[in-house]
Amino acid sequence: MSALVPPHAPPVEPRARFRDLVGAEWLKLWSLRSTGWSLLLGALAVVAFNLGTAWDRARYWHQYDPRGRAAFVADGMALGDAFTYNAALVLILASASMGAVAVVGEYGTGLIRTTFAAVPARGALMTAKVLVVTVTQVLFGAVVAGASFWSTQAVLSLRDIGLPITHPGAPRVVVASALLAPVCAVVGMALGALLRRSAVSVVGAFVLLLLLPAVLTDRRHATAVLAHATPLHAWQRLAGAGPRAPELFPWTAGGAWLVFALWALGGALVTVLAVRGRDQ
């Protein structure tokens, strides 16, 4: 009588390592043609806004009176042209939209079902996605902020009013402007994970990051605190150049950096937790 041979157990596939998830998300992001084009067009638009302002300043510099010229130089107001308010608005919308599409795009194509089937650990998967988008946007923000500073100060130097990166306050302007991109991108990812619709997520980012800060007044304490808690106002506090206008409710640069950190951390947590326990 032959011995009974126990049936072979089905092979168990090893769990995906986190670095494998990061690599897969990196390839997935950069395999889309829209990624490169979006980053390129966004960078050109932001730099163009800043460079245009600096060029206009240099072109009409002779129209400034002597007192205005002296004040411009003494107060280091050339830093205000290194990254303008309008450029910041473009950067916020562009980065938030890219972050939202990085999440929503998979829902629109149905790829998210395949992704979750291959990697049941949704939290680790979304953490890898957040990491990839954050790194991409940090590089994007650094290139845009650096190119804006170099180009604007080069143009202003034609009038001998440009400033070097070593000027007091210049590094903070560049760093704050660069970090504005990943902060808003992660917020866009959070909205994408919650809303799961491209158009709705982009509109939500516009309302949350641009419209809300615009309507909040700093004339009352409650609304001033809410305004200070938005990334746009935090960037204004960090990148502001020249003499600051008197504020009814002043706040510190440290508080503005904290706002950046909390929005980034909160957006990342929402992105990771929003996919748990929900249908694809």
Side-chain angles (χ1 to χ4, degrees):
M1 184 174 179
S2 60
L4 295 177
V5 179
H8 292 287
V12 178
E13 295 184 2
R15 294 181 60 183
R17 296 171 297 182
F18 183 72
R19 66 180 182 181
D20 296 329
L21 297 179
V22 172
E25 290 299 324
W26 182 267
L27 291 175
K28 190 186 302 180
L29 178 66
W30 287 100
S31 64
L32 300 174
R33 291 184 178 180
S34 60
T35 299
W37 282 109
S38 298
L39 293 172
L40 177 61
L41 294 177
L44 291 177
V46 172
V47 175
F49 268 99
N50 295 322
L51 188 57
T53 301
W55 177 259
D56 188 71
R57 181 92 61 189
R59 181 181 180 183
Y60 296 103
W61 180 248
H62 64 279
Q63 296 184 1
Y64 287 72
D65 59 69
R67 180 177 299 180
R69 294 183 186 183
F72 185 91
V73 174
D75 296 332
M77 295 178 65
L79 291 181
D81 293 342
F83 213 96
T84 63
Y85 180 80
N86 289 336
L89 298 183
V90 175
L91 179 65
I92 289 173
L93 187 57
S95 294
S97 300
M98 294 178 203
V101 171
V103 175
V104 178
E106 291 196 63
Y107 284 97
T109 61
L111 180 61
I112 195 67
R113 297 184 180 89
T114 304
T115 301
F116 285 156
V119 185
R122 298 185 178 186
L125 175 66
M126 297 307 291
T127 301
K129 188 182 291 291
V130 169
L131 180 60
V132 167
V133 172
T134 300
V135 170
T136 300
Q137 288 293 319
V138 167
L139 296 175
F140 170 70
V143 170
V144 169
S148 294
F149 183 88
W150 175 82
S151 60
T152 56
Q153 301 313 303
V155 168
L156 293 177
S157 294
L158 298 175
R159 297 290 187 178
D160 295 325
I161 55 176
L163 298 174
I165 190 63
T166 55
H167 188 275
R172 189 172 71 180
V173 172
V174 175
V175 173
S177 301
L179 292 182
L180 186 62
V183 170
C184 295
V186 173
V187 174
M189 294 186 73
L191 292 172
L194 290 173
L195 302 176
R196 301 187 177 186
R197 295 290 186 276
S198 296
V200 178
S201 299
V202 173
V203 171
F206 173 81
V207 172
L208 182 62
L209 297 174
L210 296 180
L211 184 60
L212 182 62
V215 300
L216 290 173
T217 177
D218 59 357
R219 306 299 296 178
R220 296 179 177 83
H221 182 265
T223 55
V225 170
L226 291 176
H228 294 167
T230 62
L232 178 58
H233 282 264
W235 172 82
Q236 286 182 287
R237 175 62 181 83
L238 295 169
R244 296 182 58 83
E247 297 181 86
L248 292 177
F249 307 100
W251 59 315
T252 64
W257 287 121
L258 181 61
V259 168
F260 267 23
L262 291 178
W263 275 85
L265 179 60
L269 288 175
V270 170
T271 304
V272 172
L273 298 178
V275 299
R276 293 187 175 185
R278 295 181 65 181
D279 296 333
Q280 287 90 337

